Amino acid sequence: MPTSQVAINKKAAKSFFESKQSRWSSRIINLFFCLLSILFIIPLLLVISISFTDEKTLLQSGYQLIPEKFSLAAYSLIFDSPGVLLNAYGITILVTVIGTVVGLFLTSLTAYTISRKDYRYRKIMTFFVFFTTLFSGGLVPFYIMVTQYLHLKDTIGALIVPYLLSPFFILVMKGFMDKIPLEVIESAKMDGASEWRIFFTMVIPLSLPAMVTIGLFISFQYWNDWWLGLLFIDNQNLIPLQLMLYRVMSTIEYLSNNLSSVNVSIDMTQFPSLSTRMAMAVLAAGPMMLVFPFFQKYFISGLTVGSVKG
Amino acid sequence: MNKQWFKVIAGVLSLTMVLVACGGAKEEKKTAGEGQQKEELPMVELVWNFPLSAIPQDLDTVQEAVNKITKEKINATVKLKAHTFADYNQKMNTVVASGESYDIAWTANWNWDYLQNQSKGAFLELDDLLNSNAPGLLESMPEFVWDAAKIQGKVYGVPNYQTVTKREGFIIQKRFADKYNLDVNSIKKFEDIEPFLKLIKEGESAEIVPFLNDKYGRFNIMPQSLGMEAITANNIIGVDLKNPETPINLFETEQYKHYLDTMRNWYTKGYVNENAATLKNKNDIIQTGNAAVQFHNVLKPGGEVEAKAANGGNDVIYVPLTEPYASTGTVITTMQAINKNSKNPERAMMFINLLNTDKELYNTISFGVEGKHYTKVSDNVIQVNKDAGYAPNAGWVFGNTFNGYLVEGVDPAVLEETKKANESATKSPLMGFKFDSTPVMAEIANLATVIDQYLPALETGTWDPNEKLKEFQDKLKQAGTDKVMDELAKQIKAWKQTK
């Protein structure tokens, strides 16, 4: 047998083996992620199912994936007096929209600036941004800053301003913008484009995947937040949705942990029932769950911090 | 260069002078203000922080009504800042640390700790203010209540006078007691209930839980019936009431072994709910009306009505095992303190005084506005309108509950009985003593970890105490019970000397 023949055979065998291996490994990987997704989805389904279950059945037979006795009582209870809930919904939507638009604008501006290779102080500026991810002033200085210097207590601004610029998002965005060749920008400049024009007509369209992804992250941050409301809002008309939900849940938890040995009485029956709590959770999570799939395609082009990815 | 330095120094100097001048002016104003106050009481605004189960929707209306009363009586308005019980600790810590201004804040031994915050310097000493600005307040509560509130001989918080006693015993659903002819007088000790549990187990469906227990166990709420008092967090270390100066490890006592054996016995016989060791919120079971017998430590007069609502509408009877007992812990469960940096401490004290002595103010803050949030059934009895946006249902957060209206359905004799129970209660030999756990914080944290690991399974009878109790006790010892006991003994000794 000529040696070349052997080599070809070997090569064929190798490629056959490789494809077989990759088929198997991809199956295993697929299976693994299917299982993982199921594990992620089940708790959510359980919450939805509980919200539709009759309260008494729930207490007697516990949580079940398929409601033993179907009931809309929890939802009708919430929608009978929707004023408070709708108000909180409105606040959350307002904060999310304003926060995302303004936050995204500021984040991309900052990221673009420190990604420009002809910007003299880009290294030190990048370090400043990076530094804040390592060390923070702590809760109390943050609180003093917002309440006593910015005077935002009890205003809608307190729910928006603190999250406008996140160093992590700036760095991710910078990582993406680093890949825009400086030559493109320089040539645009030679053609007479101003900096603003370059930013709006070239940089933003070129970094659309990053903009959308970061935009989604920012909007999640605003939508899911209860912490700022807890710290800075006393006016009940400015309470965001998640804080409303958080308060019910945490108070029940706190009281059932702490009341056993204290001689004060708190009427636990005044709290919303289990199915009502779950219905609130479903209503609070709903819109974001619907929005998410539409942004999903932008994630494919991917974002990286540090290492190379195409 | 020299010129520049000169400029800088000049600048700093002039700035300092301006600041000094400002400070001086302020000082002057303040003294002038104080002089005036005594004559005509200038209008001030007070800020009051307190927690509730939920923040009422219609707080504004109530605030208006409250201010109408306070404006007339002490020429002050009050800003009501309600928080939830769960947020309160975090929120107040931030407020205090950031120096945000407030005048009055609610405090207790179970939420936003009184002792801890006093030692941080958050509270104003109240003795002088009580004498000069709060007529009638000192006399409105028994002496021992004030004793309990004292830290190193000084009062830093005004207790909201309410049920200041504990009484341990069983809560039993009436329908079962009637059905099986339970002789209430036969129950003198914890284990006397066993024959009754047996009847329920045999006679009722599997849904009914004869004896309800949860992961926190019942031992921590029955020290009095066993002749002890728990002192440290997690009820690890306490004292034998016969010898109150020597701390003991409660988990090493005979009584504890006895409790565990009883529980194990009940658990193996199926009297205890099987999920007890993992059950966090036992209210979910109580609500279904399936809990036949529970052990509780606050059987207060009139409590059966509240317990009925909590038990899914089933009538309950109380079977107390102990006489009412008052200790430091039962008194300082709810109090008002004044901010050390309050600008108007005198007025704040006047307001606290009104909360505790003025019926009109107390009822407005506890129940809201008449006709809107509640309707009067008779002179002293009201019906709460639950949907009107103000039903805190927690008068004990605000002030002296004996000044309040009776809610419909509550026995009118309750107030008298509660008062009697308070006054006749057996007083703890350590009344007024508060354990400062700061020196042994690490040990307490370690002990908590061990307790989390062993206590739920042991105290519900899920584990056999003969196999696991020794292990539990050894682990506790390793985690530092001795050090905590030494510290406690030291503090008791020091406290005795100040008395």
Side-chain angles (χ1 to χ4, degrees):
Chain A
M1 211 185 266
T3 45
S4 61
Q5 187 80 34
V6 177
I8 289 165
N9 275 351
K10 254 188 187 166
K11 211 173 172 183
K14 203 178 167 195
S15 80
F16 171 78
F17 184 71
E18 257 176 13
S19 76
K20 195 164 185 184
Q21 189 189 35
S22 77
R23 219 187 306 152
W24 270 107
S25 60
S26 78
R27 266 184 208 162
I28 290 171
I29 290 171
N30 277 336
L31 191 73
F32 173 72
F33 278 102
C34 281
L35 285 175
L36 203 64
S37 325
I38 291 174
L39 284 181
F40 286 146
I41 292 169
I42 284 178
L44 190 72
L45 287 179
L46 198 61
V47 168
I48 297 175
S49 149
I50 294 170
S51 74
F52 283 111
T53 311
D54 177 63
E55 183 70 19
K56 196 145 194 196
T57 343
L58 198 62
L59 289 170
Q60 272 160 2
S61 45
Y63 309 152
Q64 266 152 358
L65 265 183
I66 295 153
E68 204 176 278
K69 199 170 157 206
F70 188 79
S71 155
L72 283 172
Y75 288 93
S76 70
L77 191 75
I78 293 176
F79 288 113
D80 269 351
S81 53
V84 187
L85 189 81
L86 281 182
N87 188 45
Y89 238 110
I91 294 290
T92 299
I93 291 172
L94 186 75
V95 165
T96 307
V97 170
I98 298 179
T100 310
V101 171
V102 180
L104 193 57
F105 178 64
L106 292 179
T107 306
S108 53
L109 265 186
T110 320
Y112 173 60
T113 313
I114 60 177
S115 74
R116 276 279 291 265
K117 288 173 190 71
D118 53 344
Y119 174 47
R120 198 170 152 197
Y121 302 110
R122 62 189 286 260
K123 283 220 168 104
I124 184 82
M125 289 293 283
T126 311
F127 178 74
F128 279 151
V129 174
F130 172 68
F131 188 76
T132 59
T133 63
L134 300 179
F135 301 98
S136 77
L139 177 62
V140 172
F142 170 63
Y143 186 84
I144 293 177
M145 179 76 192
V146 174
T147 55
Q148 285 164 34
Y149 289 91
L150 301 176
H151 297 289
L152 289 176
K153 191 155 189 170
D154 253 346
T155 62
I156 200 112
L159 298 173
I160 297 174
V161 175
Y163 287 160
L164 280 180
L165 273 178
S166 148
F168 178 71
F169 293 157
I170 295 174
L171 292 176
V172 174
M173 187 82 103
K174 173 186 179 287
F176 194 89
M177 285 175 168
D178 274 342
K179 282 176 291 184
I180 299 172
L182 186 64
E183 289 77 15
V184 180
I185 292 158
E186 273 174 345
S187 73
K189 232 177 173 173
M190 297 245 260
D191 290 339
S194 69
E195 288 290 354
W196 283 109
R197 196 182 158 126
I198 293 172
F199 178 70
F200 281 114
T201 56
M202 293 181 63
V203 176
I204 288 189
L206 280 173
S207 33
L208 193 66
M211 295 289 283
V212 174
T213 317
I214 299 288
L216 189 71
F217 285 164
I218 296 178
S219 66
F220 274 163
Q221 194 173 25
Y222 280 110
W223 185 272
N224 288 332
D225 182 69
W226 47 264
W227 174 239
L228 294 178
L230 173 68
L231 280 181
F232 302 120
I233 304 294
D234 286 332
N235 181 349
Q236 292 311 295
N237 295 322
L238 293 178
I239 291 286
L241 187 64
Q242 309 290 354
L243 178 60
M244 218 173 97
L245 189 66
Y246 165 81
R247 279 208 168 128
V248 173
M249 301 292 201
S250 65
T251 308
I252 293 173
E253 170 98 341
Y254 182 84
L255 292 180
S256 48
N257 282 355
N258 287 280
L259 270 192
S260 71
S261 53
V262 178
N263 56 324
V264 293
S265 61
I266 289 165
D267 179 10
M268 295 292 279
T269 51
Q270 67 178 310
F271 290 109
S273 65
L274 205 58
S275 51
T276 314
R277 280 179 250 159
M278 293 304 168
M280 281 171 75
V282 171
L283 290 175
M288 278 295 149
M289 285 199 297
L290 295 180
V291 164
F292 193 78
F294 295 103
F295 286 88
Q296 214 252 341
K297 65 175 180 186
Y298 292 101
F299 288 119
I300 298 165
S301 50
L303 290 168
T304 51
V305 198
S307 70
V308 185
K309 193 186 168 196
Chain B
M1 195 69 185
N2 259 345
K3 224 175 184 179
Q4 251 173 0
W5 271 113
F6 178 72
K7 267 186 191 166
V8 170
I9 292 167
V12 169
L13 271 179
S14 55
L15 198 71
T16 331
M17 273 157 83
V18 170
L19 284 177
V20 168
C22 280
K26 232 186 209 163
E27 202 88 328
E28 245 167 68
K29 232 194 228 156
K30 205 176 161 195
T31 46
E34 267 167 17
Q36 256 175 8
Q37 240 174 47
K38 278 185 187 113
E39 283 140 34
E40 57 187 51
L41 285 177
M43 171 81 181
V44 297
E45 193 193 41
L46 300 168
V47 177
W48 180 22
N49 288 291
F50 55 83
L52 289 173
S53 332
I55 297 169
Q57 282 307 317
D58 200 15
L59 197 60
D60 293 347
T61 319
V62 177
Q63 180 165 305
E64 231 169 80
V66 165
N67 284 342
K68 223 167 115 191
I69 302 170
T70 51
K71 224 183 235 168
E72 193 190 303
K73 292 194 168 145
I74 55 172
N75 200 23
T77 58
V78 185
K79 197 160 187 247
L80 304 178
K81 284 201 170 178
H83 311 278
T84 62
F85 285 115
D87 302 346
Y88 193 69
N89 194 29
Q90 164 84 54
K91 196 134 188 186
M92 286 312 293
N93 281 343
T94 326
V95 164
V96 170
S98 70
E100 194 175 299
S101 79
Y102 74 93
D103 299 285
I104 306 165
W106 180 91
T107 178
N109 57 348
W110 57 282
N111 197 341
W112 204 49
D113 193 74
Y114 174 56
L115 184 69
Q116 222 172 46
N117 285 294
Q118 189 278 329
S119 67
K120 275 191 215 158
F123 302 146
L124 193 70
E125 191 201 306
L126 301 180
D127 294 81
D128 295 341
L129 286 174
L130 275 168
N131 284 320
S132 54
N133 290 295
L137 183 54
L138 279 172
E139 297 85 60
S140 70
M141 304 173 224
E143 192 60 36
F144 76 90
V145 171
W146 292 107
D147 281 344
K150 276 178 189 161
I151 297 175
Q152 286 165 351
K154 305 259 181 357
V155 175
Y156 292 88
V158 177
N160 297 317
Y161 192 41
Q162 47 126 20
T163 319
V164 291
T165 62
K166 281 190 181 185
R167 195 172 194 191
E168 297 165 1
F170 292 107
I171 301 176
I172 300 172
Q173 278 195 29
K174 193 164 181 296
R175 51 181 176 142
F176 299 120
D178 291 347
K179 190 172 168 187
Y180 299 105
N181 293 320
L182 176 72
D183 176 16
V184 177
N185 295 323
S186 71
I187 298 169
K188 302 271 179 242
K189 292 194 300 297
F190 179 64
E191 56 273 21
D192 291 345
I193 195 82
E194 195 178 329
F196 181 61
L197 298 179
K198 186 165 185 256
L199 289 173
I200 293 173
K201 175 74 192 167
E202 283 161 4
E204 296 298 322
S205 66
E207 273 171 17
I208 304 294
V209 179
F211 184 80
L212 184 66
N213 204 342
D214 63 16
K215 67 172 283 202
Y216 308 103
R218 300 287 94 183
F219 180 72
N220 65 339
I221 59 167
M222 57 171 67
Q224 266 89 53
S225 37
L226 303 173
M228 309 187 288
E229 185 174 327
I231 291 177
T232 63
N234 286 319
N235 305 298
I236 313 157
I237 313 292
V239 292
D240 191 323
L241 289 176
K242 282 185 215 107
N243 181 14
E245 258 138 84
T246 334
I248 48 169
N249 180 348
L250 297 183
F251 294 139
E252 279 184 355
T253 53
E254 276 298 304
Q255 292 97 315
Y256 189 58
K257 176 81 171 70
H258 179 66
Y259 164 83
L260 291 186
D261 289 339
T262 317
M263 257 319 141
R264 177 67 185 168
N265 183 14
W266 291 3
Y267 187 82
T268 46
K269 287 183 181 157
Y271 300 161
V272 179
N273 48 320
E274 251 177 48
N275 64 349
T278 52
L279 184 66
K280 256 175 119 171
N281 187 0
K282 64 180 189 308
N283 286 299
D284 288 343
I285 294 187
I286 298 174
Q287 263 175 44
T288 60
N290 286 346
V293 179
Q294 303 162 49
F295 189 86
H296 204 271
N297 63 339
V298 190
L299 302 184
K300 57 179 182 187
E304 289 97 333
V305 179
E306 284 163 37
K308 179 182 173 178
N311 276 278
N314 294 306
D315 276 312
V316 299
I317 49 172
Y318 277 179
V319 182
L321 298 181
T322 57
E323 289 304 309
Y325 183 85
S327 64
T328 315
T330 63
V331 175
I332 62 168
T333 45
T334 162
M335 19 184 19
Q336 314 289 351
I338 297 180
N339 182 2
K340 188 152 202 181
N341 302 319
S342 165
K343 287 186 195 79
N344 301 294
E346 293 93 358
R347 212 65 68 77
M349 181 46 88
M350 288 180 205
F351 177 65
I352 294 178
N353 181 42
L354 280 187
L355 274 175
N356 287 289
T357 52
D358 187 279
K359 287 195 179 188
E360 193 191 355
L361 177 65
Y362 175 77
N363 282 318
T364 307
I365 183 80
S366 306
F367 301 106
V369 180
E370 188 184 349
K372 188 171 186 193
H373 304 121
Y374 67 88
T375 38
K376 269 196 173 171
V377 178
S378 74
D379 203 27
N380 203 30
V381 182
I382 58 157
Q383 194 176 19
V384 176
N385 182 2
K386 278 199 169 150
D387 303 318
Y390 194 82
N393 197 8
W396 51 265
V397 171
F398 306 118
N400 188 334
T401 57
F402 295 104
N403 288 334
Y405 292 135
L406 281 171
V407 178
E408 204 184 22
V410 177
D411 183 359
V414 164
L415 284 184
E416 275 314 303
E417 280 170 37
T418 309
K419 229 176 215 170
K420 224 166 44 195
N422 281 354
E423 276 152 22
S424 68
T426 318
K427 315 284 184 303
S428 160
L430 293 174
M431 183 63 83
F433 174 73
K434 292 167 208 72
F435 181 55
D436 175 13
S437 62
T438 350
V440 286
M441 225 134 86
E443 282 77 16
I444 297 267
N446 290 341
L447 289 167
T449 318
V450 178
I451 285 177
D452 273 351
Q453 195 186 342
Y454 284 88
L455 186 137
L458 266 176
E459 291 204 358
T460 52
T462 317
W463 279 350
D464 186 353
N466 292 322
E467 288 165 23
K468 293 282 192 177
L469 177 60
K470 186 85 194 34
E471 200 180 314
F472 180 40
Q473 289 168 339
D474 290 346
K475 283 256 171 99
L476 284 175
K477 215 172 178 85
Q478 275 169 27
T481 43
D482 291 340
K483 204 171 162 202
V484 181
M485 276 196 275
D486 290 349
E487 180 65 33
L488 182 58
K490 206 172 86 192
Q491 289 189 21
I492 291 179
K493 215 172 152 197
W495 170 78
K496 278 259 147 142
Q497 275 161 3
T498 65
K499 250 197 123 187

